[in-house]
């Protein structure tokens, strides 16, 4: 039987990775919903109302699973990581409580209005509820990323007590909230979420366009998704750079692992593709010589601190894993910029919806932001090891003392079974909803036009 | 420790968390109870009506649990870790049941197949019942105290939790929530379902009163530390008296079919029972049955003063907001349930 530490880490990684499929989708969809419903209020077009209703139904499905799997995360800190809970309660606890009171209450309260309120409240109040739900999901990400960022770059605290009784105590709340990495990491996570949501909208729209179903609706959806995606993809380049910058400053060992840079102090290369041989402590692949030096210091000649500068016990061991996940994320990010710019250009030329090959790419592209979000998170968390709170508390010291390997094995098996079932149900229901499509109340005029090669603007 | 309005911050947090747990009990209590009664309704339309009666509010109700959990984490981090890791298996089952309940409500009416709906109906009832029983079981063990050593480490096993008193509390919790849920449903339904519910409410209230009497007796006889504070401050005896009067009023209102008033009284009952529990515990949060010296008091468990003060400000800003949304949503969806195309 593996140790309690390994089992608890696997369970946490599994439950958080599964959970992390859903909130980014909710956040991104929330923004798309606000735009769709805003356009409905502005134009009064039935198409916008129908696509808003359609996406609200999908939003509810995603949101429901996000909440259910999120509660697991909250309580897992106490069940599996009791020492950690005691150590960071002052900080992590307050962020979590703030998340509950400011974010969850907002989104869950107004979700009821969003779903069931169409006939009970005015259009304006319904739109307000949509904005509140979208804002709630963003606030939720804000607080949880603040808490996680404090684990990466702790500030505004002091340590009280010793040994197993030690704990971090807040000395300055705002320093704790605005720790050096929270803004960069929050913006990076949020924009990644906008990409996840907008690509889901575009994927479904592209599928309808390819199948010549709900074409007017699909084109309207696609435009909304593309607007969000093109802005987000470009912004992500900026926030990504900012995030790498904080890592270079505060977590040099993580940065070194991201580029497989071992020498204690040398000019560092940047890889486009590569492989880390951890035994020989060597990295090979296609590289830009001095690239990492340039990115961190603005000069190709300045040395960068490598992994060997950090004692072996204090640096990440899964170097190749961090290297690969980081490079997959960057690669996908670059591809998404190219893809969205191309689509925006074709939309401007009014040729977008005729490009069947591009629509096929968009159907599948829904997976790309998901993968990028996941591997980006792995980079951040695995790169932080062996620390759970960077430089302060080791992951191996953070466990619950009374929990046994048998108990964790039991819960791990239980969660695996339940989550596999949940994921299959999710795909099944999502598929059914997409098949069903928006409820079209008006007769689609000029149906023949929809089949023509000519691109017509369906709305006005 | 610093004080605010002549109460120290740790006591304030004890009150805040108690308030949040009470809010959770009153709010999620009725939708859990409605879930536990779900299979008593036979017709498809009745089941959909019952489900849509809680439809727009259950998720918001559950948020009180999330906030209470966060507040316990923030206010008393030591206790958060001790309680959750001690009740490891019960909490894991609780979380899985919460997932099943959420997806049962969400997924049930998404497909028309009879087997599909029946499956989720059973899952909805089973998970609601199971969650309520687990909450009661955990509460019962916390009232009674558990074997903890001087390092606050639990020395019992899974079987330790299944003792007669804790099981009695679990059943009492179920009876309370079922009655509370049945009363809520009577306010939201009409015609035949309403007629059926009036009978159900009556039976549930009898079941609850029986459990209430048994729990009161068992607590008086077997749990001496719960009554110590009352002996010290006899004025506190007003509370158990109030509890009895509330329950009597509750029954009277049910008999005369004043369900809104009955709902208010069943909410007050939930609150008073939790307040009695809080008074019995104070100033401890965790009772060690091995040695009273190893209890964990709120002062040992409290987070730093800075943190408690900041969190109190957050709570002061946040609580009115949460209450405002809650009232807004309940007001929006007031009145009897009408099914339409957006319903569950």
């Amino acid at each position: 039987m593996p140790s309690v530490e390994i089992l608890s880490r696997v369970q946490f990684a599994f439950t958080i990775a599964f959970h992390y499929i859903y909130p980014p989708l909710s956040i991104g969809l929330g923004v798309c919903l606000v735009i769709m419903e805003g356009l409905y209020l502005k134009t009064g077009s039935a198409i916008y109302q129908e696509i808003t209703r359609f996406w609200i139904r999908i939003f509810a499905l995603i949101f429901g699973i996000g909440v259910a799997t999120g509660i697991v995360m909250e309580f897992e800190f106490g069940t599996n990581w009791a020492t950690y809970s005691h150590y960071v309660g002052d900080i992590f606890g307050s962020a979590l409580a703030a998340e509950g009171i400011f974010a969850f209450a907002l989104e869950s309260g107004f979700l009821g209005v969003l779903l069931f309120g169409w006939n009970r409240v005015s259009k304006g109040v319904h739109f307000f509820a949509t904005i509140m739900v979208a804002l709630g999901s963003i606030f939720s990400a804000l607080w949880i990323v603040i808490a996680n960022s404090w684990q990466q770059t702790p500030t505004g605290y002091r340590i009280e007590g010793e040994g197993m009784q030690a704990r971090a105590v807040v000395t300055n709340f705002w320093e704790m909230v605005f720790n050096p990495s929270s803004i960069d990491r929050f913006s990076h996570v949020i924009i990644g979420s906008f990409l996840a949501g907008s690509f889901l909208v575009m994927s479904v729209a592209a599928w309808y366009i390819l199948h010549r179903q709900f074409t007017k609706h699909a084109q309207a959806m696609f435009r909304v998704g593309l607007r969000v995606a093109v802005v987000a993809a470009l912004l992500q380049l900026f926030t990504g750079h900012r995030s790498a910058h904080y890592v270079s400053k505060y977590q040099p060992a993580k940065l070194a692992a991201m580029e497989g840079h071992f020498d204690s102090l040398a000019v560092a290369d940047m890889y486009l593709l590569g492989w880390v041989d951890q035994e020989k402590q060597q990295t090979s692949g296609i590289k830009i010589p001095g690239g990492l030096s340039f990115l961190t210091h603005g000069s190709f000649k300045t040395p960068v601190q490598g992994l060997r500068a950090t004692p072996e016990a204090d640096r990440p061991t899964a170097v190749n894993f961090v290297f690969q996940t980081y490079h997959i994320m960057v690669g996908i990010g670059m591809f998404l910029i190219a893809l969205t710019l191309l689509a925006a250009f074709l939309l401007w030329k009014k040729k977008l919806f005729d490009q069947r090959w591009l629509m096929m790419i968009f159907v599948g592209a829904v997976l790309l932001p998901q993968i990028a979000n996941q591997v980006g998170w792995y980079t951040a968390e695995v790169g932080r090891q062996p620390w759970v709170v960077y430089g302060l508390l080791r992951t191996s010291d953070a466990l619950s003392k009374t929990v046994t390997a048998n108990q964790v094995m039991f819960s791990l098996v239980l969660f695996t079974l339940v989550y596999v079932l949940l994921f299959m149900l999710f795909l099944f229901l999502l598929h059914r909803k997409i098949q069903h499509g928006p409820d079209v109340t008006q007769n689609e005029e000029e149906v023949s036009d929809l089949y023509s090669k000519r691109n017509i603007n369906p709305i006005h | 420790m610093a004080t605010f309005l002549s109460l120290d911050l740790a006591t304030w947090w004890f009150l805040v968390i108690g308030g949040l747990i009470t809010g959770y009990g009153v709010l999620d209590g009725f939708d859990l109870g409605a879930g536990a009664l779900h299979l008593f309704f036979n017709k498809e339309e009745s089941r959909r009506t019952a489900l849509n009666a809680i439809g727009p509010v259950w998720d918001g109700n559950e948020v009180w649990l999330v906030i209470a959990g966060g507040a316990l984490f923030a206010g008393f981090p030591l206790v958060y870790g001790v309680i959750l890791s001690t009740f490891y298996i019960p909490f894991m089952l609780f979380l899985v049941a919460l997932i099943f309940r959420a997806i049962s409500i969400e997924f049930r009416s998404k497909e028309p197949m009879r087997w599909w709906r029946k499956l989720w109906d059973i899952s909805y009832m089973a998970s609601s019942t199971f969650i309520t029983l687990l909450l009661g079981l955990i509460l019962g063990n916390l009232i009674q105290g558990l074997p903890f050593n001087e390092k606050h480490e639990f020395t019992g096993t899974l079987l330790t939790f299944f003792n007669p008193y804790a099981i009695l509390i679990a059943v009492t919790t179920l009876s309370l929530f079922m009655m509370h849920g049945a009363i809520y449903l009577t306010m939201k339904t009409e015609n035949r379902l309403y007629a059926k519910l009036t009978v159900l409410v009556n039976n549930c209230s009898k079941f609850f009163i029986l459990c209430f009497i048994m729990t009161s007796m068992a607590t008086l006889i077997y749990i001496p530390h719960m009554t110590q504070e009352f002996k010290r401050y006899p004025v506190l005896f007003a509370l158990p008296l109030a509890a009895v009067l509330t329950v009597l009023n509750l029954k009277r209102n049910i008999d005369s079919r004043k369900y809104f008033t009955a709902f208010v009284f069943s909410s007050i009952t939930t609150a008073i029972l939790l307040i009695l529990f809080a008074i019995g515990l104070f100033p401890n949060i965790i009772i060690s049955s091995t040695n009273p010296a190893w209890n964990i008091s709120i002062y040992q468990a409290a987070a730093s003063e800075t943190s408690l003060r900041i969190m109190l400000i957050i709570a002061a800003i946040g609580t009115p907001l949460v209450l405002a949304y809650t009232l807004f949503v309940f007001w929006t969806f007031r009145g009897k349930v009408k099914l339409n195309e957006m319903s569950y």
Side-chain angles (χ1 to χ4, degrees), chain A residues 74 80 90 94 109 169 411 432, chain B residues 66 70 80 88 111 303-304 311 329:
Chain A
E74 178 184 0
N80 293 68
D90 240 47
S94 28
V169 170
S411 57
R432 294 290 290 238
Chain B
V66 177
Y80 189 74
Y88 188 87
E111 294 293 328
S304 73
M311 292 305 302
V329 174

Side-chain angles (χ1 to χ4, degrees), chain A residues 53 61 63 71 74 79-80 90 93-94 104 106 108-109 119-120 167 169 173 410-411 415 422 429 432-433, chain B residues 59 62-63 66 69-70 74 80 88-89 92 107 110-111 302-304 307 310-311 325 329 332 334 340-341:
Chain A
R53 281 178 178 242
L61 172 67
F63 185 88
I71 295 181
E74 178 184 0
T79 51
N80 293 68
D90 240 47
S94 28
F104 285 152
L106 193 65
S108 301
N119 307 323
R120 292 205 172 232
R167 61 176 186 160
V169 170
F173 182 72
F410 168 78
S411 57
F415 278 121
L422 197 56
L429 286 169
R432 294 290 290 238
K433 275 177 192 295
Chain B
D59 200 27
E62 207 171 276
V63 167
V66 177
Y80 189 74
Y88 188 87
I89 297 288
M92 288 296 164
F107 293 177
K110 298 250 183 326
E111 294 293 328
S304 73
S307 188
I310 295 161
M311 292 305 302
Y325 318 141
V329 174
T332 304
R334 69 195 178 276
N340 63 38
E341 82 280 8

Side-chain angles (χ1 to χ4, degrees), chain B residues 27-41 47 49-55 58 61 101-102 104-105 108 120-132 174 177-185 197 200 204:
Chain B
L27 290 171
D28 217 25
F30 75 73
D31 65 57
L32 284 167
L37 295 169
H38 195 63
L39 291 186
F40 284 102
F41 317 125
R47 286 186 183 178
T49 307
L51 203 58
N52 282 286
I54 64 147
W58 72 273
N61 295 345
R101 182 161 185 276
S104 304
I105 298 172
R108 177 196 184 275
W120 291 119
D121 281 337
I122 294 171
S123 161
Y124 173 49
M125 190 197 106
S127 53
S128 302
T129 311
F130 192 65
I131 289 167
T132 310
L174 182 63
F177 283 4
M178 277 166 91
M179 174 184 68
H180 196 45
I183 298 172
Y184 176 79
L185 288 178
L197 273 162
L200 205 54
C204 286

Side-chain angles (χ1 to χ4, degrees), chain B residues 100-301:
Chain B
F100 270 102
R101 182 161 185 276
I103 61 175
S104 304
I105 298 172
E106 285 293 332
F107 293 177
R108 177 196 184 275
S109 302
K110 298 250 183 326
E111 294 293 328
M113 295 86 80
R114 278 190 70 173
W115 63 268
W116 172 274
R117 294 195 166 185
K118 197 163 191 176
L119 193 72
W120 291 119
D121 281 337
I122 294 171
S123 161
Y124 173 49
M125 190 197 106
S127 53
S128 302
T129 311
F130 192 65
I131 289 167
T132 310
L133 287 172
L134 275 176
L135 283 174
L137 190 79
I138 291 167
L139 187 69
N141 280 300
L142 289 176
I143 296 175
Q144 196 174 204
L146 282 166
F148 288 106
N149 65 20
E150 72 280 13
K151 287 189 209 147
H152 314 308
E153 287 164 356
F154 177 61
T155 53
T157 65
L158 189 60
L159 286 176
T160 314
F161 305 136
F162 296 92
N163 53 73
Y165 183 77
I167 292 171
L168 175 65
I169 296 292
V171 175
T172 305
T173 312
L174 182 63
S175 72
L176 173 65
F177 283 4
M178 277 166 91
M179 174 184 68
H180 196 45
I183 298 172
Y184 176 79
L185 288 178
T186 55
M187 300 194 300
K188 305 297 282 183
T189 53
E190 302 168 293
N191 308 330
R192 287 181 63 180
L193 181 57
Y194 172 82
K196 182 169 188 151
L197 273 162
T198 53
V199 180
L200 205 54
V201 168
N202 228 327
N203 292 336
C204 286
S205 65
K206 283 178 195 152
F207 178 39
F208 168 70
I209 289 170
L210 181 72
C211 290
F212 176 75
I213 294 168
M214 281 167 60
T215 300
S216 308
M217 307 267 279
T219 310
L220 285 172
I221 300 168
Y222 297 109
I223 318 287
H225 61 252
M226 275 289 137
T227 44
Q228 267 168 14
E229 285 291 305
F230 294 91
K231 283 173 192 146
R232 202 174 321 149
Y233 303 103
V235 66
L236 290 176
F237 274 105
L239 272 166
L241 187 68
V244 172
L245 288 176
T246 311
V247 172
L248 289 175
N249 251 316
L250 173 62
K251 184 80 185 101
R252 197 170 54 89
N253 278 290
I254 288 175
D255 290 340
S256 51
R257 298 197 172 185
K258 287 184 196 150
Y259 292 116
F260 179 75
T261 328
F263 186 73
V264 172
F265 277 111
S266 66
S267 304
I268 296 174
T269 309
T270 310
I272 294 185
L273 290 177
L274 284 167
I275 291 169
L276 287 171
F277 164 51
I279 291 175
L281 271 188
F282 188 83
N284 297 309
I285 309 192
I286 290 181
I287 308 271
S288 167
S289 58
T290 330
N291 183 344
W294 299 336
N295 292 348
I296 304 182
S297 79
I298 54 170
Y299 302 104
Q300 278 168 282

Side-chain angles (χ1 to χ4, degrees), chain A residues 69-349:
Chain A
T69 53
I71 295 181
V72 173
M73 302 319 307
E74 178 184 0
F75 288 105
E76 228 175 313
F77 291 118
T79 51
N80 293 68
W81 306 95
T83 311
Y84 167 82
S85 298
H86 179 232
Y87 193 92
V88 302
D90 240 47
I91 290 142
F92 207 97
S94 28
L96 216 70
E99 183 191 17
I101 209 157
F102 291 132
F104 285 152
L106 193 65
E107 47 184 342
S108 301
F110 284 102
L111 185 74
V113 180
L114 199 65
L115 282 175
F116 306 107
W118 286 106
N119 307 323
R120 292 205 172 232
V121 295
S122 70
K123 283 180 195 171
V125 173
H126 193 274
F127 184 50
F128 177 74
T130 309
I131 294 174
M132 288 301 118
V133 170
L135 268 182
S137 63
I138 292 174
F139 286 161
S140 171
L142 174 69
W143 286 105
I144 210 70
V145 174
I146 284 173
N148 183 271
S149 295
W150 187 85
Q151 285 176 260
Q152 309 280 352
T153 51
T155 44
Y157 69 98
R158 100 176 156 259
I159 302 297
E160 262 181 15
E162 274 175 23
M164 294 313 274
Q165 294 307 311
R167 61 176 186 160
V169 170
V170 179
T171 52
N172 184 328
F173 182 72
W174 295 112
E175 259 182 45
M176 181 275 275
V177 169
F178 293 106
N179 64 68
S181 64
S182 35
I183 296 301
D184 293 334
R185 299 180 78 246
F186 169 65
S187 51
H188 200 52
V189 164
I190 276 295
I191 303 229
S193 307
F194 290 173
L195 286 169
S198 56
F199 268 84
L200 177 64
V201 171
M202 289 191 290
S203 166
V204 173
W207 193 80
Y208 288 145
I209 289 168
L210 284 174
H211 288 78
R212 305 190 200 287
Q213 286 175 318
F214 310 107
T215 310
K216 286 183 175 184
H217 293 79
Q219 293 189 359
M221 285 175 203
F222 201 98
R223 284 159 196 271
V224 171
L226 187 57
R227 270 183 229 190
V228 176
V230 80
V231 175
L234 287 170
L235 276 178
Q236 199 63 322
L237 193 62
F238 173 71
T239 63
H241 178 71
R242 297 275 313 163
S243 289
H245 189 73
Y246 101 77
V247 175
S248 74
K249 206 164 160 193
Y250 294 95
Q251 297 179 312
K254 191 199 271 185
L255 184 79
M258 279 152 67
E259 286 293 358
H261 177 48
F262 284 95
D263 291 333
S264 345
L265 203 62
V267 170
D269 308 325
M270 190 168 71
Y271 287 85
L272 299 176
L273 273 176
W275 192 262
V276 181
D277 186 333
Q278 286 178 214
E279 298 261 304
K280 290 187 194 145
Q281 305 206 337
Q282 269 174 0
T283 309
S284 44
I286 311 165
K287 63 185 177 186
I288 303 170
L292 188 63
S293 292
F294 178 73
L295 270 186
T296 40
H297 298 296
S299 145
F300 286 98
K301 302 268 182 254
T302 320
V304 173
Q305 189 182 323
L307 277 166
R308 279 198 287 265
T310 312
E312 203 155 357
D314 295 346
R315 67 190 197 210
T317 45
V319 182
N320 192 38
F321 182 83
V322 175
F323 180 95
Q324 300 303 345
T325 52
Y326 171 67
H327 283 83
I328 294 170
M329 176 187 75
V330 173
I332 291 177
M334 296 302 165
F335 179 74
L336 294 182
I337 293 176
L339 186 65
T340 50
L341 282 179
L342 175 67
F345 175 74
L346 289 171
L347 184 71
W348 179 57
K349 288 278 168 198

